[in-house]
Amino acid sequence: MKQARSEIEKASKCANKIEKEFLEAQPSLRKGSYGNSVEEWAEARLFEYWLLWVSDSEKKRVPFLLHDEIRKEIEMTEDEYLGGLIDLTGEIGRWAVARAAQRDSDNVERALASCRKIQEAVLALGGAAPYRVRKKMSDLERNAEKMQKILYELALVRASGRRTMEVSGGNNNVGSDQKKGGADVETN
């Protein structure tokens, strides 16, 4: 986490330097690579903050940095912030997959709840949502659906009493003492 924080700080210093040296004189340069980079920075910073919130057992922290707060670190448009916020759901989804591998359904539920809150907030914008944000709505929905499926699969595993799920596919004519589908299978 320390290395990530260091990289985020380096990126914000670099972005602020670019802002002063180039964008103040030519704001049109913001569109394209620079704007996309700022969106990626927002995603990283929001994910860092979200991880701190998830690990806070007392939940004293606010779950997400607001646009005005994050702009104290780096200048960004509302579109860039919202793009980063939507992309954050993909990072939360990858985090949820790692938690699911540890059979940690409580944290997967937390991840899904966070994703749904972001979805509610973005949907509340309705037609006022920038085009760039509306384009990402299918990604947001897909990320939430994946986490919902993970929770369903965890519930099935728990209900079956198994410690792991059986691997499907591959050669079905394998002896019981051999590998099935190219992977070791543990059934209990």
Side-chain angles (χ1 to χ4, degrees), residues 8-132:
I8 289 170
E9 285 175 6
K10 278 196 260 183
S12 61
K13 287 177 185 174
C14 183
N16 288 325
K17 184 177 178 182
I18 291 170
E19 177 81 30
K20 286 188 189 311
E21 291 181 19
F22 301 104
L23 298 178
E24 286 178 3
Q26 289 187 302
S28 63
L29 294 175
R30 176 169 217 98
K31 294 186 185 332
S33 297
Y34 181 79
N36 292 338
S37 298
V38 170
E39 188 175 296
E40 291 297 319
W41 180 90
E43 176 187 357
R45 183 67 177 95
L46 290 165
F47 186 56
E48 175 195 28
Y49 200 78
W50 185 83
L51 287 172
L52 292 171
W53 174 75
V54 166
S55 66
D56 180 8
S57 61
E58 297 177 24
K59 301 292 181 257
K60 291 181 181 176
R61 291 184 176 93
V62 176
F64 299 107
L65 289 174
L66 301 176
H67 181 249
D68 288 342
E69 293 173 33
I70 205 168
R71 283 182 65 182
K72 292 175 185 170
E73 298 176 52
I74 185 173
E75 186 64 34
M76 71 179 60
T77 66
E78 287 79 7
D79 291 15
E80 292 161 350
Y81 172 79
L82 290 170
L85 187 62
I86 291 172
D87 291 347
L88 168 66
T89 64
E91 291 302 322
I92 292 172
R94 283 182 275 287
W95 181 87
V97 168
R99 299 291 78 73
Q102 298 171 0
R103 303 298 183 251
D104 182 357
S105 58
D106 290 342
N107 272 318
V108 175
E109 286 176 14
R110 236 181 235 119
L112 176 60
S114 295
C115 190
R116 292 287 187 209
K117 285 291 184 191
I118 292 169
Q119 190 176 30
E120 286 174 23
V122 173
L123 285 173
L125 294 173
Y131 175 72
R132 181 179 185 156

Side-chain angles (χ1 to χ4, degrees), residues 92-165:
I92 292 172
R94 283 182 275 287
W95 181 87
V97 168
R99 299 291 78 73
Q102 298 171 0
R103 303 298 183 251
D104 182 357
S105 58
D106 290 342
N107 272 318
V108 175
E109 286 176 14
R110 236 181 235 119
L112 176 60
S114 295
C115 190
R116 292 287 187 209
K117 285 291 184 191
I118 292 169
Q119 190 176 30
E120 286 174 23
V122 173
L123 285 173
L125 294 173
Y131 175 72
R132 181 179 185 156
V133 170
R134 289 193 309 263
K135 278 189 351 182
K136 292 183 174 213
M137 287 304 294
S138 60
D139 295 336
L140 179 57
E141 182 59 35
R142 189 172 33 259
N143 291 335
E145 286 174 5
K146 285 179 186 177
M147 284 182 255
Q148 189 67 50
K149 286 179 185 175
I150 290 169
L151 281 172
Y152 176 70
E153 290 173 5
L154 283 173
L156 289 176
V157 169
R158 189 177 19 236
S160 73
R162 291 180 174 198
R163 291 186 311 195
T164 62
M165 294 180 66

